[in-house]
Amino acid sequence: MRLSDDQLMDISARFRREMEKGLSNESNATAAVKMLPTHVYSTPDGSAIFFMFVLKSSLFFLLLFQLFDHIVQCISDFLDYMGMKNTRLPLGFTFSFPCSQTGIDKGDLVCWTKGFKATECEGYDVVDMLREAIKRRNEFDLDIVAIVNDTVGTMMTCAYEDPKCQIGLIAGTGSNVCYMEEMKNIEFVEGDEGQMCVNTEWGGFGENDNIEDIRTRYDREVDGGSLNPGKQRFEKMTSGMYLGEIVRQILIDLTKHGLLFRGRITERLKTKGIFETKEKNGVSILQSLGLDSTCDDSIIVKEVCGAVSHRAAQICGAGMAAVVDKIRENRGLDNLEITVGVDGTLYKLHPHFSTILKDTVRELAPNCKVDFILSEDGSGKGAALITAVTLRDIMARFRREMENGLGRDTNPTATVKMLPTFVRSIPDGSEKGDFIALDLGGSNFRILRVKVSHEKKQTVQMESQIYETPEDIIHGSGSRLFDHVAECLGDFMEKQKIKDKKLSMGFTFSFPCAHTKLDEAVLLTWTKRFKASGVEGMDVVKLLNKAIKKRGVNIMAVVNDTVGTMMTCGFDDQRCEVGIIIGTGTNACYMEELRHLDLVEGDEGRMCINTEWGAFGDDGTLEDIRTEFDREIDRGSLNPGKQLFEKMVSGMYMGELVRLILVKMAKEGLLFEGRITPELLTKGKIETKHVSAIEKSKEGLTKAKEILTRLGVEPSEDDCIAVQHVCAIVSFRSANLIAATLGAILTRLKDNKNTPRLRTTVGIDGSLYKMHPQYARRLHKTVRRLVPESDVRFLLSESGSGKGAAMVTAWASRLADQTRQIAETLAEFRLTKEQLLEVKKRMRTEIQNGLSKNTQSTATVRMLPTYVRSTPDGTGERSTVILCIFLKIGRQTTRMICSDPPDIICHSFTAKKSINK
């Protein structure tokens, strides 16, 4: 697997020769590197934008009609989501397979790659196939204006950011490169002026046996077991689809020679495809393969993985060096500066691949200064926000983060903290009493009086008042914040005429806290623009108690707003075991089995877990789906690098996300005729309520015009339509991401219950969910799609989380009453030290009575002699040992009476056959 510098130089030279063959009219037919023209004549200049639909399918063996009918079904679903079925849109088709193009909207499939094998497609125009499938469905009309390879899409996307980008590289499941070639060098395309993008299809390099000297027996084994033996040989040495399989073949070989796993090959290790390129943690991988590995085994496996991926990066670098040197020579330059746009999971996620690739290009093409920029938005979407990562993948990532948060060893470094709340059940209908609830989670907070009564049926009466928290208090000291809350509480109690009452209070505190019990909560970090000093790391209940100590209120419980929402909805539906907030911020809680909570003692029953999912991605887990706009919002926030998931989906940031996109589109001349006003450049000028208004089906365009006019941009009708689409894309992404993380929670509940079908209720609250015209429908539909084996009811919390805090307080009060009653019942069993000393004294007296001849007959402690006169001293001779076994069966018991000299009287009986042994 280890290649020398001379070998790499030779590979680069061979690839250069294959490029020239592919460009030649005479040799193209037999060339392994096909150098396919794309009829893309320039990189973007900002004058056009497409709505792109990307084929990312796991359909491997299908007939022609089935494949394209499936694609059209997906387009139909997407247009339904977007509300655009009546609009004739331009469609760009990213088709990531070798095509022979005679025009920008014509592409005959040369051959399938990457495991696809749909029949009756090769040699046919895939654009015509798609058009015919759209006609067959007869639901919508789209203008297919372009078909592009994913490498071309990546180059075009990155060229928006960097005009020097004239090369596209995919290093993921597959591997390929495109670049801008001089028209005069493309012999089989008419015209000599200008440039055209050429899709090299370099995966076929080596099909004419010219890299046989660097292929190993493991490469040949993988090739022989593939769907297309002898084809795409270079791709099979470099792409993510095959690297894991190469590693598996090497591990089997080493194990057969007794160099790994004590020579034991498990059935799972024999399974093709079980070893995936994405795997990182060596120990957990080996355990999943059923391999009992030693430390040395893990080191060897890591070395094997490193060698395979190192070779892949090096030979990709050798091919890239040939491409950049050709461009330099085309332009007659001594030195070239150029940019490569890159996409693909192998490049993005492998810890060393990109570095090795860059170093190899630098070594083999010293006269070229090559920059690599990552395509943040994938290959087919331009500047749009829809990502190529599947929602099921996001589900799986979040599920792993949940498990990290629940583990004792992994919790300290987990981003999703999975905080125990010490709330052990939802309302059961027995709650009653008069309570105060304090709901603090934003710039406005509520104080409620909640009366729960049981006359004919359980009823809840609530009275509440909203109080404002000024900005200077939010960013001031913690003592000022809690003093302000105490003053508002005093005002509320005065108005309710309950100043002299002793009431229990529930405290909804909507920030990440670590609980040690129900009425203790240490603030981990502020979120949602709060920055009051001296609070982080402190028990917020103690701080509030200190501020309200004269108010006659007893804080029984502190809960998060998600917990409050779940408890509120649980009052109406006892199947509710999940709570979600989708508003200014976002978070979720659910009922977890105690046996899974390493951080809490006990295995029986359940406890509510506050996930604090807003921090999902703080460790880089979501970097492949974050966009330049997400990063700009994060940089300008009060807590850069924190709460990254929340910044992608919550109402606090959605309007700002839209504003940043509109600014960029205006700068590119795509909106408002390029006009950018000071209002449009002002942070916070577009709010989430504006996004909701713009997306309304009937008056949305009118609202868009009003809002944009206030920003001074004088929008046209087309501008308003485009802005409406941007808003839809942003909110659609939010709903999809929330659905994925909620899906992870629901599948965990399903697994915990070991049930084939989950039936549950999700309590939900938050202004974004309530007010946005499309959000709830999109969320529900996506959840049903992601967790099909479930019946999920979404129950809106009509009274917010304050009622839930009162429910928790009622539960805590009931528990406190029960504890007090039990304590009173058991009080006589608890003895003081003085009582125990008296027992000692009395026992001593009885011992003496039992030893005395005069009092032994009446003593309660009989002190019977056993005639055992010493304990063993180790000096005795051999003797026979008689074992006396005392059995109690039913009411019959053996009795032994000792005398001097000792004899034994045994009372014997017959044991049942079942216990004879």
Side-chain angles (χ1 to χ4, degrees), residues 409-427:
D409 296 333
T410 50
N411 176 270
T413 56
T415 56
V416 180
K417 283 299 181 186
M418 305 296 285
L419 302 171
T421 66
F422 293 84
V423 172
R424 298 175 186 267
S425 69
I426 57 173

Side-chain angles (χ1 to χ4, degrees), residues 11 14 205-206 209-215 233-234 237:
I11 291 166
R14 295 183 209 177
F205 180 40
D209 296 335
N210 61 351
I211 56 171
E212 282 306 291
D213 55 327
I214 65 165
R215 290 177 79 218
R233 292 181 183 179
F234 187 71
M237 297 170 71

Side-chain angles (χ1 to χ4, degrees), residues 19-135:
M19 291 172 70
E20 301 294 351
K21 284 184 182 178
L23 289 171
S24 167
N25 205 22
E26 294 179 359
S27 53
N28 175 268
T30 58
V33 180
K34 285 299 182 186
M35 306 296 284
L36 302 171
T38 66
H39 296 270
V40 173
Y41 294 94
S42 68
T43 52
D45 63 1
S47 63
I49 186 166
F50 291 89
F51 283 85
M52 309 295 281
F53 295 90
V54 186
L55 172 60
K56 298 286 183 184
S57 174
S58 58
L59 302 174
F60 293 99
F61 298 91
L62 285 177
L63 293 171
L64 164 69
F65 290 121
Q66 289 176 305
L67 174 63
F68 282 88
D69 284 347
H70 172 76
I71 295 171
V72 173
Q73 170 69 56
C74 296
I75 295 173
S76 177
D77 290 346
F78 181 82
L79 292 174
D80 272 338
Y81 267 119
M82 303 301 291
M84 297 189 293
K85 264 199 172 167
N86 296 323
T87 307
R88 191 170 193 268
L89 296 170
L91 182 144
F93 190 9
T94 300
F95 191 72
S96 307
F97 304 92
C99 284
S100 174
Q101 289 189 246
T102 55
I104 197 167
D105 63 344
K106 294 178 174 61
D108 295 344
L109 176 62
V110 176
C111 64
W112 286 115
T113 58
K114 291 177 282 191
F116 272 66
K117 206 68 177 175
T119 58
E120 302 178 16
C121 291
E122 294 178 355
Y124 288 88
D125 186 339
V126 293
V127 176
D128 284 346
M129 294 184 203
L130 183 57
R131 285 188 178 123
E132 289 300 317
I134 291 172
K135 285 181 184 176

Side-chain angles (χ1 to χ4, degrees), residues 452-692:
V452 187
S453 61
H454 284 270
E455 291 176 358
K456 292 183 179 178
K457 64 177 183 177
Q458 192 178 40
T459 59
V460 177
Q461 294 177 291
M462 292 194 301
E463 298 176 71
S464 67
Q465 186 164 340
I466 294 176
Y467 293 89
E468 184 183 357
T469 309
E471 199 77 10
D472 60 320
I473 290 180
I474 288 175
H475 297 152
S477 68
S479 57
R480 277 192 70 198
L481 173 63
F482 287 107
D483 284 345
H484 173 69
V485 172
E487 289 173 13
C488 296
L489 178 61
D491 176 73
F492 181 78
M493 294 179 74
E494 181 82 43
K495 290 176 179 175
Q496 289 289 315
K497 299 179 181 177
I498 51 174
K499 278 184 67 177
D500 299 326
K501 276 196 170 189
K502 296 285 185 183
L503 296 178
S504 295
M505 184 170 86
F507 182 21
T508 304
F509 188 69
S510 306
F511 304 94
C513 288
H515 286 253
T516 50
K517 50 187 181 179
L518 193 58
D519 59 351
E520 288 181 5
V522 174
L523 176 64
L524 297 177
T525 181
W526 284 117
T527 57
K528 294 178 281 191
R529 296 191 301 109
F530 271 68
K531 225 37 177 171
S533 61
V535 184
E536 292 180 347
M538 302 294 289
D539 181 359
V540 294
V541 177
K542 283 185 178 177
L543 295 176
L544 183 57
N545 267 330
K546 183 179 177 182
I548 65 172
K549 58 186 176 182
K550 297 178 182 177
R551 306 286 177 189
V553 173
N554 179 27
I555 301 176
M556 297 292 297
V558 57
V559 297
N560 190 274
D561 53 349
T562 54
V563 182
T565 296
M566 183 188 74
M567 296 295 281
T568 297
C569 295
F571 181 82
D572 299 318
D573 182 346
Q574 290 189 9
R575 284 198 314 181
C576 183
E577 51 190 343
V578 182
I580 296 185
I581 300 292
I582 312 173
T584 306
T586 185
N587 194 14
C589 69
Y590 73 103
M591 297 299 294
E592 178 60 83
E593 301 296 318
L594 262 174
R595 66 180 184 271
H596 296 151
L597 304 185
D598 290 353
L599 302 177
V600 178
E601 291 184 2
D603 290 333
E604 297 298 321
R606 300 201 297 173
M607 181 179 287
C608 180
I609 292 295
N610 166 23
T611 67
E612 286 298 336
W613 73 12
F616 179 37
D618 285 5
D619 59 351
T621 309
L622 298 178
E623 282 309 294
D624 56 335
I625 66 168
R626 291 178 72 223
T627 68
E628 60 181 290
F629 310 110
D630 296 309
R631 293 186 176 92
E632 188 170 347
I633 281 176
D634 180 45
R635 285 192 296 270
S637 68
L638 288 171
N639 55 348
K642 303 291 185 184
Q643 299 295 111
L644 297 184
F645 182 72
E646 183 171 75
K647 289 169 186 172
M648 294 172 74
V649 300
S650 75
M652 184 172 180
Y653 302 98
M654 188 172 288
E656 185 62 9
L657 198 55
V658 168
R659 186 188 69 84
L660 291 174
I661 297 169
L662 300 188
V663 168
K664 176 162 186 177
M665 292 176 73
K667 285 180 179 177
E668 299 287 346
L670 302 174
L671 282 176
F672 319 134
E673 296 180 347
R675 290 186 298 274
I676 301 175
T677 62
E679 291 86 355
L680 185 59
L681 291 173
T682 303
K683 184 177 179 181
K685 280 293 185 180
I686 297 180
E687 301 176 35
T688 300
K689 65 181 181 183
H690 297 144
V691 177
S692 298

Side-chain angles (χ1 to χ4, degrees), residues 149-156 158 165-172 174-179 197-198 200 202 234 238 312-313 315-317 319-321 323 339-348 353-354 357-358 361 370-375 378-379:
N149 187 273
D150 52 354
T151 52
V152 182
T154 295
M155 179 188 74
M156 300 291 277
C158 293
C165 181
Q166 297 210 317
I167 303 173
L169 167 66
I170 297 292
S175 180
N176 195 16
V177 160
C178 71
Y179 71 103
C197 179
V198 167
T200 67
W202 78 1
F234 187 71
T238 58
I315 59 179
C316 276
M320 182 60 70
V323 172
T339 297
V340 179
V342 193
D343 198 10
T345 51
L346 185 58
Y347 185 93
K348 287 178 176 179
F353 188 95
S354 62
L357 171 67
K358 293 171 187 175
V361 175
V370 184
D371 292 322
F372 291 78
I373 63 171
L374 195 60
S375 171
S379 60

